[in-house]
Amino acid sequence: MKWSLKELEKYRNEPLRIDETLDVKVKMLDRFSDRIIDIDPVKVVGTVMVDRDDVLLDVKVTGKAVVPSSRSLAPVDFPFDFDMNEIYITEESHFDRYEENETVLLLETQTVDLDEGVIDNIIAQIPMQILTDSERNGQDMPAGNGWEVISEDDYTADQEENQPIDPRLAKLKGLFPDQDQDR
């Protein structure tokens, strides 16, 4: 869904109401095939309006994607529901009008592309670590020929267990026997 700036001019006083279902699957798979396996059509509800030659977008985005597990690459359902508030400006001097915490984007063309903004925001919503239910419950640690994934607790315990004692300090080990048992 795209709008030209001239087309949006008529929404200076009254916002354009959006209630659309976007099919962004092909675009997402083209751009982010490593981060997305599949995505359902995305529901977008909100408004677009023009204020002092800037375009203000305020929409709610909902849907469901299938993303790879960050541990095993197994498919994981990822429902999303977030607000998208962006301001599109045509001149760099307009950055001064807005707060630092607002999302302000400089338009390179004379069009606002809602699909691209929605795609970028969905990708930003995907957490760095996403796991299947069994992975979250501590099961199904991946392993292969000569390697395995272990939990951080197992790794720490293994390191403490296999850490050699410096021979120069070995005589001190029995100095405080009550503290040695606490470990």
Short mmCIF file of all heavy atoms in Angstrom, two decimals, residues 8-38:
data_model
loop_
_atom_site.label_atom_id
_atom_site.label_comp_id
_atom_site.label_asym_id
_atom_site.label_seq_id
_atom_site.Cartn_x
_atom_site.Cartn_y
_atom_site.Cartn_z
N LEU A 8 -1.81 12.41 -0.36
CA LEU A 8 -2.03 12.58 1.07
C LEU A 8 -2.36 14.01 1.48
O LEU A 8 -2.82 14.24 2.59
CB LEU A 8 -0.81 12.08 1.84
CG LEU A 8 -0.58 10.57 1.82
CD1 LEU A 8 0.74 10.22 2.48
CD2 LEU A 8 -1.73 9.84 2.51
N GLU A 9 -2.11 14.97 0.59
CA GLU A 9 -2.40 16.39 0.90
C GLU A 9 -3.85 16.61 1.31
O GLU A 9 -4.13 17.47 2.14
CB GLU A 9 -2.07 17.27 -0.32
CG GLU A 9 -0.64 17.67 -0.43
CD GLU A 9 -0.16 18.51 0.75
OE1 GLU A 9 -0.89 19.43 1.19
OE2 GLU A 9 0.95 18.23 1.22
N LYS A 10 -4.76 15.83 0.76
CA LYS A 10 -6.18 16.04 1.08
C LYS A 10 -6.52 15.57 2.50
O LYS A 10 -7.63 15.77 2.97
CB LYS A 10 -7.08 15.36 0.05
CG LYS A 10 -6.87 13.90 -0.13
CD LYS A 10 -7.72 13.39 -1.29
CE LYS A 10 -7.27 11.98 -1.65
NZ LYS A 10 -7.88 11.51 -2.86
N TYR A 11 -5.55 14.97 3.21
CA TYR A 11 -5.79 14.51 4.57
C TYR A 11 -5.09 15.41 5.59
O TYR A 11 -4.66 14.97 6.63
CB TYR A 11 -5.33 13.05 4.72
CG TYR A 11 -6.11 12.13 3.82
CD1 TYR A 11 -5.55 11.65 2.64
CD2 TYR A 11 -7.42 11.79 4.11
CE1 TYR A 11 -6.27 10.84 1.80
CE2 TYR A 11 -8.15 10.98 3.26
CZ TYR A 11 -7.57 10.51 2.11
OH TYR A 11 -8.30 9.71 1.27
N ARG A 12 -4.99 16.69 5.26
CA ARG A 12 -4.39 17.66 6.16
C ARG A 12 -5.29 17.92 7.38
O ARG A 12 -4.81 18.02 8.50
CB ARG A 12 -4.18 18.98 5.41
CG ARG A 12 -2.80 19.47 5.50
CD ARG A 12 -2.65 20.75 4.69
NE ARG A 12 -1.49 20.68 3.84
CZ ARG A 12 -0.26 20.70 4.27
NH1 ARG A 12 -0.02 20.76 5.54
NH2 ARG A 12 0.74 20.63 3.44
N ASN A 13 -6.57 18.06 7.16
CA ASN A 13 -7.50 18.39 8.25
C ASN A 13 -8.20 17.16 8.82
O ASN A 13 -8.57 17.15 9.99
CB ASN A 13 -8.55 19.38 7.75
CG ASN A 13 -7.92 20.69 7.30
OD1 ASN A 13 -6.94 21.15 7.90
ND2 ASN A 13 -8.44 21.26 6.23
N GLU A 14 -8.40 16.18 8.00
CA GLU A 14 -9.11 14.97 8.41
C GLU A 14 -8.22 13.77 8.10
O GLU A 14 -7.81 13.58 6.96
CB GLU A 14 -10.43 14.87 7.63
CG GLU A 14 -11.31 13.71 8.02
CD GLU A 14 -11.99 13.90 9.36
OE1 GLU A 14 -12.21 15.04 9.78
OE2 GLU A 14 -12.29 12.88 9.99
N PRO A 15 -7.87 12.93 9.09
CA PRO A 15 -6.96 11.81 8.82
C PRO A 15 -7.57 10.73 7.93
O PRO A 15 -8.78 10.53 7.92
CB PRO A 15 -6.65 11.25 10.22
CG PRO A 15 -7.72 11.75 11.10
CD PRO A 15 -8.27 12.99 10.49
N LEU A 16 -6.71 10.08 7.19
CA LEU A 16 -7.09 8.93 6.38
C LEU A 16 -7.17 7.73 7.30
O LEU A 16 -6.20 7.40 7.97
CB LEU A 16 -6.04 8.69 5.28
CG LEU A 16 -6.12 7.37 4.52
CD1 LEU A 16 -7.41 7.26 3.73
CD2 LEU A 16 -4.92 7.22 3.61
N ARG A 17 -8.31 7.10 7.37
CA ARG A 17 -8.50 5.93 8.23
C ARG A 17 -8.11 4.68 7.45
O ARG A 17 -8.53 4.48 6.31
CB ARG A 17 -9.94 5.82 8.69
CG ARG A 17 -10.41 7.09 9.40
CD ARG A 17 -11.02 6.79 10.74
NE ARG A 17 -11.46 8.01 11.38
CZ ARG A 17 -10.74 8.66 12.27
NH1 ARG A 17 -9.56 8.24 12.60
NH2 ARG A 17 -11.20 9.76 12.84
N ILE A 18 -7.31 3.84 8.10
CA ILE A 18 -6.83 2.61 7.47
C ILE A 18 -7.38 1.42 8.25
O ILE A 18 -7.30 1.39 9.48
CB ILE A 18 -5.29 2.54 7.51
CG1 ILE A 18 -4.67 3.72 6.83
CG2 ILE A 18 -4.80 1.24 6.89
CD1 ILE A 18 -3.18 3.80 7.06
N ASP A 19 -7.91 0.46 7.54
CA ASP A 19 -8.32 -0.82 8.10
C ASP A 19 -8.09 -1.83 6.99
O ASP A 19 -9.01 -2.16 6.24
CB ASP A 19 -9.78 -0.78 8.55
CG ASP A 19 -10.17 -2.02 9.34
OD1 ASP A 19 -9.38 -2.99 9.39
OD2 ASP A 19 -11.27 -2.02 9.92
N GLU A 20 -6.85 -2.29 6.87
CA GLU A 20 -6.44 -3.11 5.74
C GLU A 20 -5.79 -4.40 6.21
O GLU A 20 -5.25 -4.48 7.32
CB GLU A 20 -5.42 -2.37 4.88
CG GLU A 20 -5.95 -1.11 4.22
CD GLU A 20 -6.92 -1.38 3.10
OE1 GLU A 20 -6.78 -2.41 2.42
OE2 GLU A 20 -7.83 -0.56 2.90
N THR A 21 -5.81 -5.38 5.35
CA THR A 21 -5.06 -6.62 5.54
C THR A 21 -4.01 -6.65 4.43
O THR A 21 -4.36 -6.65 3.25
CB THR A 21 -5.98 -7.85 5.46
OG1 THR A 21 -6.99 -7.72 6.46
CG2 THR A 21 -5.21 -9.12 5.70
N LEU A 22 -2.75 -6.65 4.85
CA LEU A 22 -1.64 -6.60 3.89
C LEU A 22 -1.03 -7.98 3.72
O LEU A 22 -0.76 -8.67 4.70
CB LEU A 22 -0.55 -5.64 4.37
CG LEU A 22 -0.96 -4.20 4.68
CD1 LEU A 22 0.24 -3.42 5.18
CD2 LEU A 22 -1.55 -3.54 3.44
N ASP A 23 -0.78 -8.36 2.47
CA ASP A 23 -0.07 -9.60 2.19
C ASP A 23 1.38 -9.23 1.87
O ASP A 23 1.69 -8.81 0.77
CB ASP A 23 -0.72 -10.33 1.02
CG ASP A 23 -0.12 -11.71 0.81
OD1 ASP A 23 0.76 -12.11 1.59
OD2 ASP A 23 -0.54 -12.39 -0.16
N VAL A 24 2.23 -9.36 2.88
CA VAL A 24 3.64 -8.95 2.75
C VAL A 24 4.57 -10.16 2.66
O VAL A 24 5.79 -10.01 2.72
CB VAL A 24 4.06 -8.04 3.92
CG1 VAL A 24 3.31 -6.73 3.88
CG2 VAL A 24 3.87 -8.74 5.25
N LYS A 25 4.00 -11.34 2.47
CA LYS A 25 4.79 -12.58 2.50
C LYS A 25 5.91 -12.58 1.46
O LYS A 25 7.06 -12.86 1.79
CB LYS A 25 3.86 -13.78 2.29
CG LYS A 25 4.57 -15.11 2.33
CD LYS A 25 3.58 -16.24 2.21
CE LYS A 25 4.27 -17.58 2.29
NZ LYS A 25 3.30 -18.67 2.33
N VAL A 26 5.61 -12.27 0.22
CA VAL A 26 6.62 -12.33 -0.84
C VAL A 26 7.75 -11.33 -0.57
O VAL A 26 8.93 -11.68 -0.65
CB VAL A 26 5.97 -12.07 -2.22
CG1 VAL A 26 7.03 -11.94 -3.30
CG2 VAL A 26 4.99 -13.17 -2.56
N LYS A 27 7.39 -10.12 -0.19
CA LYS A 27 8.41 -9.10 0.10
C LYS A 27 9.28 -9.50 1.30
O LYS A 27 10.48 -9.31 1.29
CB LYS A 27 7.78 -7.74 0.37
CG LYS A 27 7.20 -7.07 -0.85
CD LYS A 27 6.62 -5.72 -0.49
CE LYS A 27 6.03 -5.03 -1.69
NZ LYS A 27 5.45 -3.73 -1.36
N MET A 28 8.64 -10.05 2.33
CA MET A 28 9.40 -10.44 3.53
C MET A 28 10.35 -11.58 3.22
O MET A 28 11.49 -11.58 3.68
CB MET A 28 8.47 -10.81 4.68
CG MET A 28 7.83 -9.60 5.30
SD MET A 28 7.28 -9.88 6.97
CE MET A 28 8.79 -9.74 7.87
N LEU A 29 9.88 -12.57 2.48
CA LEU A 29 10.74 -13.70 2.16
C LEU A 29 11.88 -13.29 1.23
O LEU A 29 12.97 -13.84 1.30
CB LEU A 29 9.93 -14.84 1.55
CG LEU A 29 8.96 -15.52 2.52
CD1 LEU A 29 8.11 -16.57 1.79
CD2 LEU A 29 9.69 -16.15 3.69
N ASP A 30 11.64 -12.31 0.37
CA ASP A 30 12.72 -11.80 -0.49
C ASP A 30 13.79 -11.09 0.33
O ASP A 30 14.98 -11.30 0.11
CB ASP A 30 12.17 -10.82 -1.54
CG ASP A 30 11.46 -11.52 -2.68
OD1 ASP A 30 11.61 -12.76 -2.81
OD2 ASP A 30 10.76 -10.84 -3.46
N ARG A 31 13.37 -10.26 1.25
CA ARG A 31 14.33 -9.46 2.03
C ARG A 31 14.88 -10.16 3.25
O ARG A 31 16.02 -9.92 3.64
CB ARG A 31 13.66 -8.15 2.48
CG ARG A 31 13.48 -7.16 1.36
CD ARG A 31 12.86 -5.87 1.83
NE ARG A 31 13.61 -5.24 2.90
CZ ARG A 31 13.10 -4.31 3.70
NH1 ARG A 31 11.86 -3.91 3.56
NH2 ARG A 31 13.84 -3.77 4.65
N PHE A 32 14.09 -11.00 3.90
CA PHE A 32 14.48 -11.56 5.19
C PHE A 32 14.26 -13.08 5.25
O PHE A 32 13.73 -13.58 6.24
CB PHE A 32 13.71 -10.88 6.32
CG PHE A 32 13.94 -9.41 6.41
CD1 PHE A 32 12.98 -8.51 5.97
CD2 PHE A 32 15.12 -8.91 6.93
CE1 PHE A 32 13.20 -7.14 6.04
CE2 PHE A 32 15.34 -7.55 7.01
CZ PHE A 32 14.38 -6.66 6.57
N SER A 33 14.68 -13.80 4.25
CA SER A 33 14.46 -15.25 4.23
C SER A 33 15.22 -15.95 5.36
O SER A 33 14.85 -17.06 5.75
CB SER A 33 14.87 -15.83 2.88
OG SER A 33 16.23 -15.60 2.64
N ASP A 34 16.25 -15.33 5.91
CA ASP A 34 16.98 -15.92 7.03
C ASP A 34 16.27 -15.68 8.37
O ASP A 34 16.57 -16.35 9.35
CB ASP A 34 18.40 -15.36 7.10
CG ASP A 34 18.43 -13.85 7.27
OD1 ASP A 34 17.51 -13.17 6.76
OD2 ASP A 34 19.38 -13.35 7.91
N ARG A 35 15.32 -14.76 8.41
CA ARG A 35 14.64 -14.43 9.68
C ARG A 35 13.17 -14.84 9.70
O ARG A 35 12.55 -14.88 10.75
CB ARG A 35 14.70 -12.90 9.93
CG ARG A 35 16.06 -12.27 9.88
CD ARG A 35 16.81 -12.17 11.19
NE ARG A 35 16.08 -11.91 12.37
CZ ARG A 35 15.92 -10.71 12.93
NH1 ARG A 35 16.42 -9.64 12.37
NH2 ARG A 35 15.27 -10.59 14.06
N ILE A 36 12.60 -15.13 8.52
CA ILE A 36 11.18 -15.46 8.42
C ILE A 36 11.02 -16.72 7.59
O ILE A 36 11.60 -16.83 6.51
CB ILE A 36 10.39 -14.31 7.73
CG1 ILE A 36 10.39 -13.05 8.57
CG2 ILE A 36 8.97 -14.71 7.39
CD1 ILE A 36 9.47 -13.09 9.77
N ILE A 37 10.23 -17.67 8.09
CA ILE A 37 9.91 -18.87 7.32
C ILE A 37 8.59 -18.67 6.58
O ILE A 37 8.45 -19.03 5.42
CB ILE A 37 9.84 -20.10 8.25
CG1 ILE A 37 11.21 -20.36 8.87
CG2 ILE A 37 9.34 -21.32 7.49
CD1 ILE A 37 11.22 -21.41 9.97
N ASP A 38 7.61 -18.08 7.28
CA ASP A 38 6.29 -17.86 6.70
C ASP A 38 5.62 -16.72 7.47
O ASP A 38 6.00 -16.44 8.61
CB ASP A 38 5.45 -19.14 6.81
CG ASP A 38 4.19 -19.10 5.96
OD1 ASP A 38 4.09 -18.22 5.07
OD2 ASP A 38 3.30 -19.95 6.18
#
